[in-house]
Amino acid sequence: MHICGNGRRSTAEGCDDNNTASSDGCNSTCQVEPGYHCAGGSIVSRDACSPVCGDGSRVGGEGCDDGNLADGD
């Protein structure tokens, strides 16, 4: 059964981080938001989502994101 926000990712969900809040990587319809990567979720565990560094999109707690992984530029 598909219940978004219960912390258990079903096959219909791209992610499930145990809430229905948007702007944390996994949105209110349990889909991965642009600029984030979510992993670890299964039918018994929730996903952990984090910003993708180096993609040129500043999201979440990123102070900056210039589109690369080079330090000091």
Side-chain angles (χ1 to χ4, degrees), residues 3-72:
I3 301 173
C4 181
N6 68 350
R8 294 176 174 93
R9 186 182 348 147
S10 73
T11 56
E13 298 171 321
C15 57
D16 195 321
D17 61 354
N18 204 37
N19 68 62
T20 54
S22 292
S23 300
D24 65 353
C26 186
N27 69 19
S28 62
T29 60
C30 287
Q31 299 304 310
V32 178
E33 296 176 305
Y36 284 89
H37 172 75
C38 299
S42 71
I43 60 170
V44 296
S45 63
R46 68 184 184 97
D47 281 280
C49 301
S50 59
V52 176
C53 184
D55 67 348
S57 177
R58 186 174 160 227
V59 297
E62 290 182 310
C64 64
D65 194 322
D66 63 357
N68 66 60
L69 298 176
D71 290 337

